[in-house]
Amino acid sequence: MKNKITLKELAKLLNVSISTVSKALNDSPEISTKTAERVKELAKLHNYRPNPVAVNLKSSKSGTIGVIIPNISNSFFARVLSGIEAEAQRAGLQVITYISNEKLEREKQICDMLTTGYVDGVLIAVAEETQRKKEFDHLYQLVDYGIPVVLYDRINFDIPADRIGIDDVGTFADVTRRLLAKGIKKIGIATTIHHMGVGKLRIDGYKQALPENRTFYIANSARPEVLKEKTEKMLVVDKVEAVICTDYVSTMRVYRTAYEHEINIPKDLKVIGFIGKEFANFLTPSISYIDQFPEEMGAGAMQLLEARLNNYNKDKSNSERILKTSLVDLESTRF
């Protein structure tokens, strides 16, 4: 029988978020008894039913896990996948990988396909476009169908799912404070992901660590030519003494701009990148970087999903695991 009403429609009628409706229907302790009763009463009144696939999912297992990756060309996600695969093999589970290419529509298509019951659970780092447009109904649909979901890396939004990531604010605040402690006063930040959740958090961490009334120097754009222009201003006009980069592209842009304008790294400019260790040593000078331990993140995501699969009907609360990062000092920050 076709649903008479959807989660989104229920939320609109109740004037609450889709997350609240989903959590209430799944008996989450985060929702008050009064709200839960109100949601369930309206759901019953409108003959709301989860898709019958959910019943089958809870009674039979495929032994297969779906992993959604936003960008396979990013070495970070390749290393996360390696950690997922290793842990899945240990647990006797098979992994099917899907690539969203940072596109919302492709991510929706994948999630729709995964509601057929072919996989026991889903690991996902949501697409850039999904975060920018803040459209998460397809993820709520997975949860509503009874499919366990674990978010990894990109976790700073309200979905009733387990999650694993890093403390983006704390990481960038710590790195900024470390530079300040070395006597550096003019510190900038370069980013191509300022419009994404993790990018915003990293910028927040940088800002929080700077003393009151200290000038912020930010080169931010996802457009190459604009990023180049802003980076040149920060390095050549503002003459910052150090730059912290939030992602691979901004790291490379800072290095290229320094080279083009004969700015010596690390004598005149200290640089901290957000790149993988496999790239850090190949430039001259080598790039100091923030290690996120992606293999550990992948293994941890798989472990959270295993726990959910083994205890899905008993434990409705969601888990969050925050991994520690480490600043690896190489030549670009030598004093």
Side-chain angles (χ1 to χ4, degrees), residues 19-34:
S19 172
T20 296
V21 174
S22 180
K23 289 177 180 179
L25 292 174
N26 285 282
D27 298 317
S28 169
E30 298 177 37
I31 306 301
S32 69
T33 302
K34 184 178 179 180

Side-chain angles (χ1 to χ4, degrees), residues 147-162:
I147 302 173
V149 176
V150 176
L151 308 174
Y152 65 90
D153 183 50
R154 302 172 179 182
I155 63 174
N156 58 310
F157 46 89
D158 188 23
I159 298 291
D162 299 320

Side-chain angles (χ1 to χ4, degrees), residues 268-301:
D268 302 317
L269 178 69
K270 307 292 189 289
V271 180
I272 295 175
F274 212 74
I275 60 173
K277 62 183 179 182
E278 62 272 29
F279 297 116
N281 286 292
F282 282 94
L283 289 183
T284 302
S286 56
I287 309 173
S288 299
Y289 66 98
I290 299 168
D291 195 342
Q292 303 177 75
F293 303 102
E295 289 89 355
E296 183 179 339
M297 185 179 293

Side-chain angles (χ1 to χ4, degrees), residues 26 34 47 86 90 128 144 179 216 245-246 277 285 288 290:
N26 285 282
K34 184 178 179 180
N47 198 28
R90 186 199 62 76
E128 176 182 331
D144 189 44
L179 291 171
F216 302 138
C245 306
T246 70
K277 62 183 179 182
S288 299
I290 299 168

Side-chain angles (χ1 to χ4, degrees), residues 187-191 194 203 206-207 215-221 230-231 233-234 238 240:
I187 302 171
I189 188 166
T191 178
H194 54 289
I203 293 171
Y206 156 77
K207 288 182 175 180
T215 302
F216 302 138
Y217 301 97
I218 303 178
N220 58 328
S221 181
K230 289 186 175 182
T231 303
K233 180 182 182 303
M234 188 167 63
D238 298 327
V240 296

Side-chain angles (χ1 to χ4, degrees), residues 73-130:
S73 65
N74 186 322
S75 65
F76 168 79
F77 290 114
R79 291 173 62 192
V80 170
L81 181 59
S82 178
I84 291 172
E85 285 274 7
E87 182 62 27
Q89 287 181 26
R90 186 199 62 76
L93 296 168
Q94 298 297 316
V95 171
I96 298 180
T97 305
Y98 303 89
I99 305 170
S100 69
N101 289 317
E102 303 285 13
K103 300 297 183 182
L104 171 61
E105 196 56 41
R106 176 54 183 157
E107 190 174 272
K108 286 181 177 180
Q109 292 171 357
I110 295 168
C111 288
D112 187 57
M113 180 170 50
L114 294 178
T115 59
T116 61
Y118 188 65
V119 298
D120 296 334
V122 176
L123 305 177
I124 179 171
V126 297
E128 176 182 331
E129 188 177 16
T130 302

